[in-house]
Amino acid sequence: MSTMWHGCLAGTDYFELRSSRGRDYGVWVTTPPGYDPATTQAPAVYVLDGNWAVGLTAPLIVTQADPMQRIQPYIQVSVGYAGEEAQHWDRLRNRDLVPPGEPIAKELIDAVELGVQSGARTREEADAYLAELRDTHADAFLSFLTTELHPRIERDYGTASSGHGLFGYSYGGLFSLYTWLTGSTLFASIGAGSPGVAGADSQIFAQLQQMGDSLPAAKLHVTINEQELLGDLAIYQNLTKNTATVLHHLTARGAAVTSAVLRETHVTGLQASFLSYLRTCRAR
């Protein structure tokens, strides 16, 4: 990274990695202050939507030195998109973060159309955004994280052998829920911020049924935002309603799940949600 970026994101390296499926990813790796793998090996925390999230979440690595509330050491691995594709991260994430076969909720289509009407998206951009939702591969992206990216992080940064985490927000939060329900053994804790469970027919509910009485061992922390719940956008109202239903299912089964309602909007909630995950799942 350039000197300028090092000044903004201290202790951060950047590299690009092509997956076995031919997808190019940008990876930012932020190590904690004074990190020396020769003396202390830290686990990795994978943060999704790196193109957006790295600037909001990587600076919170300093919480590991906060004398008021210490956070367990971790290496942050922010995963996004590289090269020319990076400018299209908000639609490419649909392909990678949404479970296979996930229905497209009418309320989401309405929200995309509202974006066109308001000038936030062009018609071409809206069509491309929805097209990515018709062929989704969260299973392939999870495999990339666990079998391709993690071994490289483990090798190059001398991570601990256990205690790794995953954090995602919005569709990243949907991916986090999906990952937790698959029972992936890599992650000891998972944060799902405002997970995009847009419809009552979401694959998340099918996973819940398939899970039966068996519960994943990983800790799960879920957040939603006050203004999603109380605002007038149907897509966010559905998101919070369906997430609450998921939480009711899990707590009724005695799952290791915690939750919080944050005083944010869907757009402003990412950083607060990540901090809530750190404080709940990774406090000393």
Side-chain angles (χ1 to χ4, degrees):
M1 294 177 70
S2 70
T3 303
M4 179 187 72
W5 284 114
H6 273 302
C8 296
L9 298 174
T12 298
D13 300 326
Y14 175 79
F15 66 88
E16 296 177 1
L17 182 63
R18 174 162 290 185
S19 74
S20 60
R21 293 171 61 92
R23 310 296 191 187
D24 292 323
Y25 295 98
V27 182
W28 296 259
V29 182
T30 306
T31 52
Y35 180 65
D36 182 0
T39 57
T40 304
Q41 294 182 322
V45 171
Y46 291 86
V47 175
L48 307 175
D49 287 319
N51 305 89
W52 173 38
V54 66
L56 291 168
T57 58
L60 292 176
I61 202 91
V62 299
T63 57
Q64 298 173 48
D66 186 346
M68 304 295 290
Q69 183 179 20
R70 298 289 294 276
I71 300 298
Q72 297 173 15
Y74 66 91
I75 297 169
Q76 179 165 327
V77 183
S78 307
V79 187
Y81 299 96
E84 290 296 318
E85 286 194 329
Q87 64 184 313
H88 303 302
W89 68 268
D90 70 327
R91 64 173 169 82
L92 292 174
R93 68 198 290 268
N94 298 349
R95 174 195 73 201
D96 286 337
L97 303 181
V98 176
E102 182 78 356
I104 306 175
K106 178 184 179 299
E107 291 80 5
L108 176 61
I109 296 173
D110 291 343
V112 173
E113 287 298 318
L114 183 62
V116 174
Q117 294 169 20
S118 68
R121 293 182 190 269
T122 66
R123 168 55 58 192
E124 182 181 7
E125 289 169 341
D127 290 345
Y129 182 91
L130 293 173
E132 294 288 358
L133 287 170
R134 298 188 184 100
D135 187 22
T136 52
H137 299 277
D139 52 344
F141 185 65
L142 177 57
S143 178
F144 165 72
L145 288 181
T146 58
T147 66
E148 298 181 57
L149 178 57
H150 182 69
R152 174 162 175 173
I153 298 298
E154 193 174 36
R155 180 194 72 211
D156 292 353
Y157 292 90
T159 63
S161 60
S162 61
H164 307 296
L166 172 70
F167 173 81
Y169 187 81
S170 192
Y171 269 153
L174 179 67
F175 180 87
S176 290
L177 278 183
Y178 168 82
T179 298
W180 188 80
L181 289 165
T182 65
S184 174
T185 58
L186 176 61
F187 307 110
S189 63
I190 291 178
S194 295
V197 188
D201 54 356
S202 170
Q203 288 294 318
I204 294 299
F205 293 109
Q207 283 183 286
L208 280 170
Q209 289 186 335
Q210 294 166 5
M211 187 175 63
D213 294 329
S214 61
L215 294 170
K219 298 177 183 177
L220 175 66
H221 182 63
V222 179
T223 66
I224 57 174
N225 295 305
E226 186 178 83
Q227 292 306 310
E228 294 166 338
L229 180 64
L230 301 178
D232 58 1
L233 283 176
I235 182 61
Y236 295 145
Q237 292 171 352
N238 277 14
L239 181 154
T240 53
K241 178 181 68 176
N242 292 324
T243 297
T245 301
V246 171
L247 286 170
H248 291 322
H249 278 290
L250 294 176
T251 54
R253 298 183 188 186
V257 56
T258 53
S259 60
V261 178
L262 308 176
R263 301 193 67 180
E264 303 290 343
T265 71
H266 191 74
V267 173
T268 65
L270 185 149
Q271 187 181 64
S273 180
F274 182 61
L275 187 55
S276 181
Y277 160 71
L278 292 179
R279 288 171 168 165
T280 304
C281 295
R282 307 197 67 85
R284 287 191 177 187

